[in-house]
Amino acid sequence: LGKLGDAATTLKYGNTPELLEKQAKRNEEVGQLSRELIALQHTINQQFDTLHQQVAVRKNTEHSLQTKREQLSLLHSQLDREVKARTTELHREINAISILSAAMEHAAESIAIMNNRMVIEYINPSFEKHSGYRKEELLGRTPMAVEWSRSDYKVQQDELSTVGKGKVWSGIVNHETKSGELRYEEITISPIKSQTDIITHYVEVKRDVTERLALEAQLQNAQKLESIGQLAAGIAHEIN
C-alpha cells in the first residue's frame, strides 16, 4: 500500500511518464497499475488527437460553409438586381407593345400581319372596314385568296418575289371588296426578320386612294381641256 501511495503521489505531482515507465517494469501490483495507466494515457492521447482532428475538420467545414453563405448572399443580391432590372425592362416592353397595339387598332390605314406563308394572323378594324370582311373571315386565309381576284397577275408575282427576298414592296393595286366594289389601294408590305435574319412575318399597310386617283384623273382631264382650249384659241387668233 505504501508503494501504491508513492505512485499515486508521483502521478499527482508530476514526472508521470517517466515514473510509469519505470514502475511498469515491476512485477507486483504497482507494475500492473502502471501498465494500465500507460495504456489509459495512450487511449486518452489518441482520443485527444482524434478530437483535435474533428475540431479542425469542423472549423474548416464552418469556414467553408461561411464562405458559401457569403457567396450565396452575393449571388442572391446579384440575382435580385437582375430580376428587378429585367422586370423593369419587361414593364417597358409591355407598355411599348400596349401602345403599339392601341396605335394599330386606331390607325386609319388598313394593317394586316401575316406569317411567312402569307397567312393572315391579324387585321385591324380599318382593314375590316375597308375590305368589308370580318376578322373571322380573314384570319387563316391569304390575301391572294380574298382580295387579289381582280389584281394584275404580274403585280402579284412581283410583290411576292420582292418580299420573299426580304425587301419592301410598294405599289398601287386594284383590290375587290367583299361587296364586289373595286378600290385602288396604295400598299406597302414589309418583311419581319428574326435575329438570325430569317423572315418570320410580313406587315401589310394600305391606304385607299380611289378618290385621290379619281381627282387626279379629273385634274389631268381639266388640264388637257385647258391646253386644248388654249391651242384652239391660238389657232383661231392666227386664222383671224
Side-chain angles (χ1 to χ4, degrees):
L1 291 175
K3 293 179 181 180
L4 286 173
D6 292 339
T9 302
T10 304
L11 287 171
K12 180 177 180 180
Y13 292 105
N15 298 324
T16 303
E18 292 81 358
L19 175 63
L20 291 177
E21 291 293 339
K22 181 178 179 182
Q23 297 294 336
K25 296 177 181 179
R26 301 173 64 174
N27 295 324
E28 64 269 22
E29 190 175 355
V30 172
Q32 179 64 29
L33 178 61
S34 297
R35 288 190 292 273
E36 291 177 357
L37 288 174
I38 290 173
L40 178 62
Q41 184 67 43
H42 180 69
T43 301
I44 292 173
N45 289 339
Q46 287 181 330
Q47 292 178 346
F48 267 111
D49 290 341
T50 302
L51 182 61
H52 282 304
Q53 291 175 357
Q54 292 175 346
V55 170
V57 170
R58 181 165 183 175
K59 286 183 178 179
N60 291 334
T61 302
E62 290 179 349
H63 178 72
S64 177
L65 288 174
Q66 180 62 28
T67 302
K68 295 296 183 182
R69 281 194 291 267
E70 292 174 354
Q71 292 175 346
L72 286 174
S73 178
L74 290 174
L75 288 174
H76 182 270
S77 299
Q78 180 180 355
L79 180 61
D80 186 58
R81 289 193 299 270
E82 291 178 356
V83 168
K84 289 180 179 178
R86 182 55 181 159
T87 301
T88 302
E89 182 181 352
L90 285 174
H91 280 308
R92 286 197 299 264
E93 291 178 357
I94 291 172
N95 186 55
I97 292 173
S98 177
I99 293 173
L100 177 60
S101 177
M104 293 175 63
E105 287 291 304
H106 293 86
E109 293 81 4
S110 298
I111 300 175
I113 297 177
M114 300 157 288
N115 62 21
N116 57 4
R117 298 185 304 277
M118 297 297 286
V119 175
I120 299 173
E121 294 184 348
Y122 167 85
I123 62 169
N124 69 341
S126 290
F127 198 106
E128 292 183 273
K129 177 182 177 181
H130 292 110
S131 69
Y133 289 95
R134 290 180 292 107
K135 181 180 296 185
E136 294 77 12
E137 297 176 289
L138 294 176
L139 297 182
R141 302 179 66 183
T142 65
M144 296 79 77
V146 180
E147 300 179 301
W148 287 8
S149 59
R150 299 289 183 90
S151 299
D152 184 87
Y153 178 77
K154 292 183 179 180
V155 174
Q156 296 178 19
Q157 294 304 308
D158 178 61
E159 180 178 333
L160 292 175
S161 175
T162 300
V163 298
K165 296 175 182 177
K167 300 178 181 179
V168 177
W169 184 91
S170 296
I172 295 177
V173 178
N174 187 6
H175 278 170
E176 183 178 357
T177 66
K178 184 179 180 180
S179 63
E181 182 182 6
L182 294 178
R183 308 291 296 182
Y184 287 94
E185 293 178 313
E186 189 175 54
I187 300 176
T188 298
I189 301 180
S190 305
I192 299 176
K193 298 181 180 181
S194 66
Q195 294 181 346
T196 55
D197 203 37
I198 297 176
I199 297 175
T200 60
H201 290 81
Y202 298 99
V203 177
E204 179 186 70
V205 180
K206 57 184 183 178
R207 182 195 302 269
D208 192 314
V209 293
T210 305
E211 284 75 17
R212 191 194 76 187
L213 294 179
L215 289 175
E216 290 177 354
Q218 292 177 9
L219 178 60
Q220 290 177 357
N221 288 333
Q223 290 174 342
K224 288 180 180 179
L225 291 174
E226 183 180 0
S227 298
I228 292 172
Q230 291 176 352
L231 179 60
I235 293 174
H237 178 73
E238 291 180 1
I239 295 175
N240 294 331

